[in-house]
Structures are given as structure tokens and as C-alpha cells.
Amino acid sequence: MKSTPLSLIAGTVALAAVTGFAALTAPGEAGAPEAKAAARLPVERTSLLCPSPGGVELAETTYTSVTPAGEGGGEAGTAELSPAVPVTDDDAKDDGKKSDKEDKDGKGDKADAKKDAKKEKPVVTLKESGKPVTAETSDEDAPALIGTATGRLAPGWAAQQTTVSPAGSARGLLGLSCGAPDTDFWFPGASTGKTRQDYIHLTNPDDSALVADIELYGPEGPLASDIGDGITVPGRSSVPLLLSTLTTDAVEDVTVHVTTRGGRIGAAIKVAEDEAGTDWLAASTDPSGSLVLPGIPADATSVQLVAFAPGEDDADVKVQLLGKNAPFSPAGNDTLHIKSQMTASVDLKDVTGGEPGSVRLTPVGSGATPIVAALRVVRGSGDKQEIAYIPATEPVGGRATVADNRAKGSVLSLTAPATDAKVKVTTSAGSEGGEQAVKTYTVKAGTTLEVTPEVPSGLKGAYALTVETESGGPVHAARTLTVTEGGIKMFTVQTLPDDGGTVDVPRVTQDLSVLED
């Protein structure tokens, strides 16, 4: 029996009453509803990926997970980091293909139970906001972790893995904020040189396999590589690749570009440099005409800037250090010319002069060619030196959090490149006890303010740092964590970009006039 036009209209009206309609009337038309600004609402689901910290003997890794205190959306929710368990061909088959006989005699249920048993328990489980939880491992084969937070634990959820590698030619402290999956990554500052072992880790959080492509660019342009095209990353697994095996060219300064086909991944590069140290190199922020790289420690003995212009045009940028009291240009390195698709680098040496600082890159002239950039920072000298990397990063925005901080050794850097800014810094309760503390700081335009966070009263365990912009800005931030082992000040630097804890949700109004002829 065919439906009548009347019954169709009645069904549509009923649907409108339940769900509402976005007004389709053009702005300015008679009867058009007044436009309303989109609302900022908390996200209800967040994903994070942590690469495998394994491959190093005697190393100890700590995972720290936290959601900053505040009102989240939805239900109570959960936040878990679980081992990446590869999806096999049998796992990938559609459960609906089981025969009716299997379902009736219970074999189908047994198969499901067997499949669920293969899933390992979460490594870290967070149950409340405002207080971090931690877990530790010394497993040399520790897997990558795949994490999801929902409900009130989703907005601002942050996690970090911190590894202490006390021995070997590349001993050091490796720190990385676990990142959200994406489709496009830029890593200036990598290397295929003989003194480096740089592994790029690709982590796929989904059940389906995907394909990733890796491009390498040196000072003379693209490096020849057939292996980097079409790398398969199986579902719910992580693939580490030694960069020097992707090309026959041994190049000190390399920019790595990772893209995906049909899915999203996590990507990070583990750097190990003979006799110098080790750390994670996180991706630079998206290509932009102006960049800020915050958080150079005051006692840095060497700073190297690596930059890349991915487009068809060369870039000329002004290099400035935003110091303790004012911005200034490094002598002899006040500008940098970056040829299109060629990695450029400059040794800024001990540019900070014993004071904390941040690097700002801005266009020379009216052009604004997009670039990406990172810093290689050295502290100490000889057999006591250690390295860390600072990629260009987005501003703090509304809020940003770094998870793993200790009673000693945590330093926060705040820089306001354009205008004065006022920020609120919250130190959370400790993972094993303590009360949160809040302090407000003013950052002068063109300067970097280095502060030692106020340790929570009665602190036990690790705590989280949350930075919120209250006025002025923008503000860029980074946290330096230092752990002394064997007389070496091992350190790592994590930037604090906006956590994306809220999103714009368009306001919807009911307008039944769309049903009229």
C-alpha cells in the first residue's frame, strides 16, 4: 500500500517535534529567525595514543593520566589506557557471519568470550577528575597504549609517558604527551645520520588496517625512498620504523612528513643520539607563517633551530628570542632563509645567555609562507650532556594540561609573544595525596616567564599542571621535567597546546515553515 502525501507530512511534523529543525531560511529574508552564536560545550569523548616505550634495557616507564577538575559533559564516564592488541584476520570477521547453529548451541558465545579474553586489562584507569593516576613498567617489550575517555572525564584529558634510561650511549629521560590521532604530521629535527637512531612510531587505534606514507626532506630537498610509500599499519597496533632504513642518504637534519590513507594514527619519533642522550620528538604544529617554540631552559648550552617550508615558495623569517625582560635577535642569526621543500637549520649556540627564553619566528616583509619548526636543546657538556626537543606549538588557549610533574624538577615556562597576558596555573592534587593549589601570573609582552609551580600541600606522588588564559595573550607554554641520574641532569620538555576540551555547537531552532510548499 502506498503512503499518501498527507501521511508523509504528518510523519515529518512528528519528527520535527522530537528533534527540531535548523532554520533553512536565508539571512535577511522575512520571517528568518535571529541568528545565534554557537555554544561552547564540553566534548564527551577523547582519544589519546602512547607509542611503545620499549626497546631499552633497564629502563623504567611511568604513565600518568589526568582530567583537570571542572564540569564536564554527559555521564560520569571512564578514561582508560589499554595495550594495543593487533587485530587478526579472525578478529576482523563480521560477528554476524556466525551460523544459526553456532548461536543456538552456544559456540558463538564461547567464541566471543575467547575473543574478549585476548583483550588485555587497562594499564591506567582514571575514575575521577582533578587527581592523576599513575602506573609503572620496566618491560622491555611494553606495547603502545590506546586510550579513550568519555563523559565528564573527556574534556581536557591528558596523559604522559616518562621513561628513565639510566645506561648506554643514549641514556637519558624520554617524555611524551600522549597525542590524539590525526592524518598529517610534520617532524623537523629528525636525522638519518650515523650517530643517530631515530625510530618513527605509527599507532593505529582502529580495528581496520590503514596505509601511511612517509616522506623525508634533507637540506638539498626530498630524500630518495621507495620504502616509505604504502606502509601498512594493522588495526589496533603500532609499527616502529628506523628512519635510516627508509633511505640510503645519511643526513643530519631531516624533516619527516607522515600522511595516512583512510584512517587516523598517532605518530612520534624516538631519538637516540650517541653520547648525547635520548628523547621523543613530537610533531610540530600545522604549517604557519608565524611560530612560537617555548621553554628553552636557562642553562641550555646549545640550541639548534630546524625549519622547513612545505609549500612551493621559499620562506624568509625573522628569528627572535623572547627573553626574561625583552625580545632580541641572536647576533648573526636574526633572519633565516628556508628554501622550498629543503630543511634549513641554524646553530644558535648558548643563545639564552643564562636566562630562560622562547623562539619566535615571524615573516620578513609582507609574505607569510607557512613553515614548521623544532628546537634541539642541549644541557650539560661532554659525557654529562643530555638532549631534548621543543616543537613549534599552538597557544594555551582556554586551557592546557601536562600530566607528569614531580615535587622537584618541574619548571613551567610562559611566553606572551604579542601582548601582556594573565594566566591561572593550577597544580592538581597528588596521585597519592595532597591538595590542589592555584596561582595567577602576569606575562609581559615579548618575554618568557619561568616559574617553579607551587607544589600541592601534602603532595604524595605525581601532580598535573593546568594553565588557563584569563586575559590578554595569546600565551604559549612548556614544562621542563628534570631527573638527575648518575650526576647527569636528564631532562625532557613538553609543550602545552589548547586541550580542545570544548567545541562549538551550533544553536538549533525549530522552524516548521520548511514543511510548507
Side-chain angles (χ1 to χ4, degrees), residues 32-43:
E34 182 180 352
K36 295 183 179 180
R40 295 290 296 181
L41 298 178
V43 299

Side-chain angles (χ1 to χ4, degrees), residues 252-310:
E252 292 301 321
D253 297 315
V254 172
T255 298
V256 180
H257 185 208
V258 179
T259 56
T260 64
R261 309 180 202 172
R264 300 187 304 162
I265 60 173
I269 296 178
K270 181 190 287 186
V271 173
E273 185 173 345
D274 292 348
E275 309 302 330
T278 182
D279 206 352
W280 287 98
L281 170 60
S284 169
T285 189
D286 292 339
S288 176
S290 299
L291 297 175
V292 176
L293 302 89
I296 303 172
D299 61 350
T301 53
S302 177
V303 178
Q304 181 190 29
L305 169 64
V306 182
F308 181 78

Side-chain angles (χ1 to χ4, degrees), residues 64-85:
T64 308
S65 170
V66 68
T67 295
E71 295 183 1
E75 301 176 352
T78 61
E80 296 179 341
L81 289 167
S82 301
V85 179

